[in-house]
Amino acid sequence: MEIFHVEMGNPSAPVVVLIHGWPTCSIDWFEVANQLSERFRVCALDFPGYGFSDKPPGWGYSLARDEELIEYYVAEVIGADAGVVVAHDRGDSVALLHAARCAEGRSAMQLEHLVLSNANIFLPLSNLTGAQRQALHAESWAKAAAVVTPALLAEGMGAQMFTPPRKAGDPDVEALAATFAYHDGIKVLHEGIHYLVERSKDEQRWLTTLAEAPFPVTLIWGLYDTVSPPRVASYVWNQYLMLKPGANRLYFIPDANHYLQVDRPDAFVKVLLNTLEPAADQGPGALEAALDAPLLVDSSRERLPAAADVLRAEPSPTRTEDCCVHHVAPQPIPPTSGKSPKGRPTRKRCTA
């Protein structure tokens, strides 16, 4: 089995491992990897059945086998003894399995931070596409595969899962089509989608393990996603991460769809750097002044205070800019004859 992989950046820099989803590959991370490589040793691979790796039918594609590949990759290929893992879509499930290995001390790599992005990590709140449901059933997929071409699949994804939508001829669509066509990848896509069946059996256990993990966990979510909608991230945050010890964070990226790292790579990198080097006193809000700035939604805490405790909390030191917001100097009202410049009657002030 030949596996495609890529490394960028200084070999002695801190390691970041990027894990792709279904049915795409490491090209999802192209722009993000370019930016991160200025500060990190960025490593990514294409799982068997995806991208530019081999795609033999009936190979036994599974999350478990891909997790074993990730462990082999970090231990034997890149030789990382510590690193950050950033995952997307199906890659989140692989990353959760590998994170459990790290938490149990069974990995050669110390996991310093786990970052999960748009994925159906809580299936009851997912919104699976028709193509995903077709691929889950061999008979229906056999009929679909007879007419689906790499270009047709890429164009369908471009129209639904990117913001703004991508059309035929768009570089992102053409790149997807090329990877689907490599080694006739369409014929094995239905084998890879069965990770959802694996997930349905073990999802609760994986999330419970995540809540107890010793490393920080960050969720980064594109808000326009209708397949893995923001309600998925919000639920996982509220139920499993909000009270988890450590520097755990939830971010939303506006104007980004399921493939948020392609739609807004600059914003994704900004969020990633923000969570890897968090300011101790940073509260929720936009990371910059722009209207489409990524948002820090929440940071974890030890417990939720009672409502009365919030009111009894000591006030923070008053800042000049806070005062300026609430105290506006009164403006003098010029004398008026009762007529506006355009001849319309004006309102006069009355005192009681």
Side-chain angles (χ1 to χ4, degrees):
M1 175 71 70
E2 291 190 355
I3 301 299
F4 173 87
H5 76 100
V6 61
E7 294 183 39
M8 303 171 65
N10 188 332
S12 62
V15 170
V16 172
V17 178
L18 305 176
I19 303 181
H20 72 81
W22 183 93
T24 54
C25 64
S26 59
I27 63 164
D28 295 344
W29 299 109
F30 181 76
E31 293 294 341
V32 167
N34 273 336
Q35 295 184 42
L36 290 179
S37 65
E38 297 177 4
R39 300 179 58 173
F40 298 95
R41 179 188 179 192
V42 183
C43 306
L45 55 72
D46 291 347
F47 288 122
Y50 301 85
F52 297 106
S53 291
D54 285 348
K55 305 172 181 178
W59 184 73
Y61 300 98
S62 71
L63 296 174
R65 296 192 77 171
D66 286 349
E67 186 279 328
E68 291 173 353
L69 177 59
I70 288 294
E71 177 60 23
Y72 176 82
Y73 182 57
V74 299
E76 302 296 333
V77 179
I78 63 177
D81 55 9
V84 172
V85 170
V86 182
H88 175 251
D89 192 78
R90 179 185 181 273
D92 282 19
S93 294
V94 178
L96 285 172
L97 277 175
H98 189 256
R101 178 195 291 267
C102 294
E104 295 165 3
R106 297 184 292 109
S107 175
M109 185 182 80
Q110 177 187 348
L111 183 54
E112 297 175 323
H113 203 121
L114 175 63
V115 180
L116 305 175
S117 59
N118 291 56
N120 282 319
I121 54 177
F122 185 70
L123 284 172
L125 291 179
S126 66
N127 186 34
L128 301 182
T129 66
Q132 286 175 307
R133 295 186 181 280
Q134 274 191 320
L136 282 167
H137 301 280
E139 185 176 339
S140 62
W141 181 251
K143 297 177 182 178
V147 296
V148 171
T149 65
L152 190 62
L153 177 60
E155 289 168 20
M157 291 178 60
Q160 182 179 3
M161 306 181 81
F162 293 79
T163 296
R166 312 304 202 264
K167 298 180 180 180
D170 184 277
D172 292 326
V173 172
E174 291 185 344
L176 286 176
T179 61
F180 296 151
Y182 185 78
H183 283 350
D184 196 11
I186 298 292
K187 68 176 182 288
V188 298
L189 284 185
H190 69 289
E191 297 185 46
I193 193 63
H194 280 271
Y195 84 90
L196 290 173
V197 178
E198 293 178 79
R199 173 149 206 109
S200 68
K201 296 175 181 177
D202 296 316
E203 181 172 84
Q204 190 63 54
R205 178 169 57 86
W206 295 347
L207 291 174
T208 300
T209 300
L210 184 67
E212 300 169 353
F215 40 77
V217 178
T218 291
L219 302 182
I220 308 176
W221 231 256
L223 284 179
Y224 288 4
D225 191 353
T226 59
V227 178
S228 307
R231 66 192 185 195
V232 173
S234 296
Y235 180 85
V236 171
W237 176 260
N238 291 333
Q239 295 296 317
Y240 298 97
L241 299 176
M242 185 170 62
L243 301 180
K244 177 184 178 296
N248 311 286
R249 290 187 162 196
L250 168 64
Y251 296 86
F252 286 160
I253 297 183
D255 297 344
N257 208 309
H258 185 75
Y259 287 93
L260 69 170
Q261 73 275 54
V262 179
D263 287 346
R264 299 202 57 199
D266 293 351
F268 192 96
V269 171
K270 180 178 290 290
V271 169
L272 194 57
L273 296 179
N274 186 268
T275 195
L276 294 181
E277 301 171 356
D281 59 347
Q282 184 177 10
L287 301 189
E288 56 189 7
L291 292 177
D292 62 351
L295 307 169
L296 171 59
V297 180
D298 200 9
S299 301
S300 59
R301 73 276 287 154
E302 293 182 358
R303 65 178 183 88
L304 279 178
D309 292 339
V310 174
L311 301 182
R312 285 194 294 265
E314 291 292 327
S316 58
T318 302
R319 301 178 304 170
T320 303
E321 59 267 31
D322 292 336
C323 297
C324 293
V325 171
H326 301 291
H327 300 283
V328 180
Q331 300 297 315
I333 299 176
T336 175
S337 63
K339 293 288 186 177
S340 70
K342 294 186 178 180
R344 293 191 298 271
T346 60
R347 294 183 178 180
K348 295 184 177 181
R349 300 183 66 190
C350 297
T351 58

